[in-house]
Amino acid sequence: MGVTADKRELLEHFMLEGEVTDVTPHGSGHINHTFLVTTDGVKKYILQKINTDIFRDTDGLMENIVNVTAYLRERIKQAGGNPERETMTVIPAKDGTYYYTDADGSDWRVYLLIEHIVSLDQAKNAEEFYASGLAFGRFQAQLADYPAESLHETIPDFHNTPKRYQAFEQAVTEDICHRAESVGQEIAFIKARKEEISVLTDLLQRGELPLRITHNDTKLNNILLDADTHEAVCIVDLDTIMPGLCAYDFGDAIRFGANTAMEDETDLSRVSLSLELYRAYAKGFLEGCGGRLTPKEIETLPLGAKTITLEQGMRFLTDYLQGDTYYHTEREGQNLDRCRTQLALVADMERKWEQMRLC
Ligand code: ADP
Ligand code: GN1
Ligand code: MG
């Protein structure tokens, strides 16, 4: 507990209220380094070291977040809500920008902490998962008229599954850590599904599915739920807001939240798709989207779940093959375990395919 001199120094560059009394690691995100900042005043903050190996253009990234949250703030006010609780508030740096570059060249940003919430790594019941589906659907509806051309593409081809497949194949060929031989089964599982991975992107290219403004990282811990009611309060992690397919936003939430096991579970017999959670989320998401989705979009939501689960399996395996440089890991083999849960979930979705249909 306490505040190290370097954290204190960098927090001095932001417009905080009160004296900082404590800075502690926070959350279970895989990408940025997140800290909870306590002060002797009323407000608490989130301090984040932005992962600039992944987000190469901090100006563009922060411009997206500042503009989108300003837009959402107006929408929330119009609806009579509380913008400080229902969207992220970026705390400006004292030089008028929205992040600070320290002496090591690392970029840091600060948000207002949203309090009295829970951020879950697993859905506990259908009601709260329904609530998060509703919130992600509403989020998409709220941004339906946002000027898409003003958004920077923070990670190019983020959910371009065919490109993810190419990167995976290249990692297998290069095999820089000599790990490919030990994961032959996983590689074969993915390769056997090669034809399926481009179905959604092909539909997009043919104009049969529309591009929308999507969150692109809709896992359950990126939505904050009220600590008492477990109603959805705020969607966080806005780093990847970009034009995308609605099936991917739907699918990513299912991949994470409707899995009966944790993302890095080592006992694969615990991995399965909960149809109860799946249906609850779908109901909430469709309600939240408020009739905006086309019949083709609704028809392809289950495929979104399967495609992004396979994509995520490929991404985890690619990182494992390349020496675990992308996702934070706490133990040896964690990315491989994560890959295996994704592939086990794909297999279960295939078994339950008929029951996953939504129309
Ligand atoms: P990462 O990109 O590493 O996943 P996130 O931006 O998702 O980083 O932050 C990590 C976690 O910190 C989130 O999952 C959430 O639980 C918590 N968090 C982030 N921002 C806030 C906030 N403004 N208020 C409360 N909790 C937050
Ligand atoms: C990362 O940042 P976080 O932990 O919310 C990743 C997502 C993956 C997810 C897998 C920018 O999400 O794409 O689906 O891990 N974010 C980025 O858990 O790559
Ligand atoms: Mg996150």
Side-chain angles (χ1 to χ4, degrees), residues 183-197:
V183 292
Q185 256 185 313
E186 287 75 16
I187 293 171
F189 183 97
I190 295 168
K191 288 194 168 173
R193 285 154 185 80
K194 185 179 177 186
E195 301 307 315
E196 293 169 46
I197 57 164

Side-chain angles (χ1 to χ4, degrees), residues 251-319:
D252 199 35
I254 296 300
R255 170 193 80 71
F256 190 84
N259 183 353
T260 52
M262 298 287 281
E263 195 180 53
D264 62 352
E265 174 62 61
T266 51
D267 176 359
L268 293 182
S269 70
R270 298 171 88 150
V271 174
S272 68
L273 176 80
S274 160
L275 283 169
E276 189 200 2
L277 291 175
Y278 172 82
R279 289 183 185 131
Y281 190 91
K283 183 170 181 293
F285 187 73
L286 289 172
E287 278 174 29
C289 286
R292 280 184 172 73
L293 302 192
T294 66
K296 194 73 183 169
E297 279 180 299
I298 299 174
E299 185 195 317
T300 52
L301 292 180
L303 187 59
K306 186 178 168 191
T307 308
I308 200 140
T309 309
L310 191 58
E311 177 186 293
Q312 193 60 61
M314 287 192 280
R315 290 178 64 195
F316 284 140
L317 190 55
T318 303
D319 198 29

Side-chain angles (χ1 to χ4, degrees), residues 28-32 54-55 155 158-159 164 216-219 221-222 237 239-240 252 255-256 263 308 311-312 315-316 326-327 338:
S28 53
H30 294 343
I31 302 298
N32 298 301
I54 293 176
F55 299 106
I155 302 180
F158 189 53
H159 287 316
R164 294 287 184 185
N216 293 303
D217 191 358
T218 54
K219 67 185 194 185
N221 63 24
N222 286 331
D237 204 343
D239 293 332
T240 50
D252 199 35
R255 170 193 80 71
F256 190 84
E263 195 180 53
I308 200 140
E311 177 186 293
Q312 193 60 61
R315 290 178 64 195
F316 284 140
Y326 186 94
Y327 300 101
R338 289 169 175 157

Side-chain angles (χ1 to χ4, degrees), residues 65 68-69 72 76 83 85-89 111 114 117-118 131-143 214-225 231-241 249 253 281 285:
I65 295 176
V68 166
T69 52
L72 290 174
I76 293 163
R85 193 161 166 74
E86 294 170 36
T87 190
M88 309 271 278
T89 303
Y111 293 116
I114 297 165
I117 51 89
V118 287
S132 68
L134 189 65
F136 272 116
R138 281 188 182 147
F139 183 81
Q140 201 164 100
Q142 279 177 324
L143 289 174
T214 46
H215 182 280
N216 293 303
D217 191 358
T218 54
K219 67 185 194 185
L220 190 58
N221 63 24
N222 286 331
I223 182 164
L224 310 179
L225 308 176
E231 291 290 313
V233 172
C234 180
I235 288 171
V236 299
D237 204 343
L238 306 180
D239 293 332
T240 50
I241 291 190
D249 261 12
Y281 190 91
F285 187 73

Side-chain angles (χ1 to χ4, degrees), residues 36 39 55 94 105 108 130 143 147 168 182 258 278 286 301 341 350 352 357:
L36 169 61
T39 70
F55 299 106
K94 287 182 181 161
W108 297 81
Y130 161 83
L143 289 174
F168 151 74
S182 64
Y278 172 82
L286 289 172
L301 292 180
T341 62
E350 288 173 350
K352 292 174 177 158
R357 282 185 202 285

